[in-house]
Amino acid sequence: MKKIVLALALLILIAAGLFKLSTSRNYQAFGELIGHVDTEQKIIALTFDDGPLPEATNQIVDFLAAENIPATFFLTGKDIAAHPQAAKKIVQAGHQIGNHSYSHQRMVSMGYDSVASEIDKTSQLIRNLGYNDEIVFRPPYGKKLFILPYYLYQKNITSVTWNIEPESYPEIAQDSDAIAQHVIDKVRPGSIILLHVMFKSREPSMAAVPKIVQTLKAQGYTFVTVNELLKAR
Ligand SMILES: [Zn+2]
């Protein structure tokens, strides 16, 4: 009986450890995972996940053009295929495009061939848009365990997460002022900020962007792409 209890306790510990590893923002089993960059320069990266969807793409790309700042868009292959004009608009405006998988499923328990297809199909779609810069990867829901990091490591693809995520706090997520304030309070040189602005349900995030950009510019921060941030290491 004692042995069974011990074995169960051990299993629970291992499961908890694996879960922690699968959700970690700055560590993975193979290869590099970047959640922020250590730098003394006041440079930061705005990153927008999912999509592209046409209406929100127009809105955010026009805003970034008016502010003359770049951002990084982690797009899914299925949405690039469904809305190629929106994806092209982001590329032509000079923003960075990252690979956010094809179908936006959790990739923790996916086999090697599915992982390869999710990543390769999406990178090919990004290249077809005329995008020539390095393509980094961000896992859907930030989830990964062994096969996904191993594939990325083999392919020499850098994984990028974030270190500021205001939408993860339910008391903040629906209030654009609170979202902006959270980012302004947490930001440090080298921060990577995660926001979802593509979906109608994330209008509070879209509305927070001008306040974030204008306040942090006034504090002397410069917005750069993730690839530019990576070069500052
Ligand atoms: Zn996503």
Side-chain angles (χ1 to χ4, degrees):
M1 188 60 193
K2 228 178 181 178
K3 264 187 188 160
I4 294 172
V5 172
L6 264 175
L8 265 176
L10 192 62
L11 268 177
I12 289 168
L13 263 177
I14 291 169
L18 287 176
F19 179 76
K20 232 183 147 196
L21 179 62
S22 79
T23 56
S24 172
R25 302 286 184 246
N26 44 38
Y27 179 77
Q28 65 186 12
F30 301 94
E32 230 185 345
L33 176 68
I34 308 287
H36 75 284
V37 164
D38 286 318
T39 173
E40 276 159 25
Q41 298 177 60
K42 288 184 92 173
I43 51 175
I44 50 178
L46 263 182
T47 68
F48 301 113
D49 277 18
D50 306 339
L53 297 185
E55 211 176 300
T57 296
N58 287 337
Q59 194 179 339
I60 193 70
V61 169
D62 290 351
F63 171 76
L64 296 170
E67 290 289 337
N68 196 24
I69 60 168
T72 302
F73 291 79
F74 287 92
L75 305 180
T76 63
K78 71 170 167 22
D79 284 334
I80 296 172
H83 307 290
Q85 290 310 320
K88 263 189 206 140
K89 180 169 173 134
I90 298 170
V91 173
Q92 281 162 3
H95 300 295
Q96 182 177 340
I97 308 287
N99 183 329
H100 194 39
S101 84
Y102 188 86
S103 61
H104 205 275
Q105 297 173 55
R106 281 170 211 280
M107 293 175 78
V108 169
S109 54
M110 224 176 245
Y112 187 91
D113 291 347
S114 304
V115 164
S117 149
E118 286 278 337
I119 291 169
D120 295 350
K121 257 197 317 195
T122 304
S123 286
Q124 190 54 54
L125 282 163
I126 293 171
R127 291 291 179 225
N128 293 348
L129 299 169
Y131 182 79
N132 298 317
D133 204 353
E134 183 185 342
I135 299 176
V136 298
F137 179 78
R138 175 174 281 172
Y141 314 100
K143 301 273 284 175
K144 74 272 155 232
L145 200 53
F146 296 118
I147 294 175
L148 174 59
Y150 182 65
Y151 186 75
L152 294 165
Y153 170 72
Q154 273 189 321
K155 289 274 173 152
N156 204 17
I157 298 171
T158 303
S159 306
V160 175
T161 52
W162 54 83
N163 68 343
I164 302 185
E165 47 180 322
E167 298 155 337
S168 297
Y169 302 87
E171 68 281 15
I172 292 173
Q174 299 311 321
D175 178 344
S176 63
D177 286 339
I179 292 170
Q181 198 56 52
H182 179 90
V183 174
I184 292 159
D185 290 344
K186 297 271 174 199
V187 79
R188 298 283 178 275
S191 283
I192 300 175
I193 301 157
L194 165 66
L195 289 170
H196 295 77
V197 297
M198 288 293 171
F199 303 111
K200 273 262 173 283
S201 59
R202 289 310 317 151
E203 272 173 358
S205 295
M206 181 72 96
V209 174
K211 195 174 174 195
I212 291 168
V213 168
Q214 283 147 12
T215 304
L216 294 183
K217 267 187 171 177
Q219 291 183 5
Y221 280 98
T222 300
F223 290 88
V224 299
T225 63
V226 164
N227 282 350
E228 286 167 332
L229 201 61
L230 295 177
K231 284 182 204 135
R233 288 180 294 167

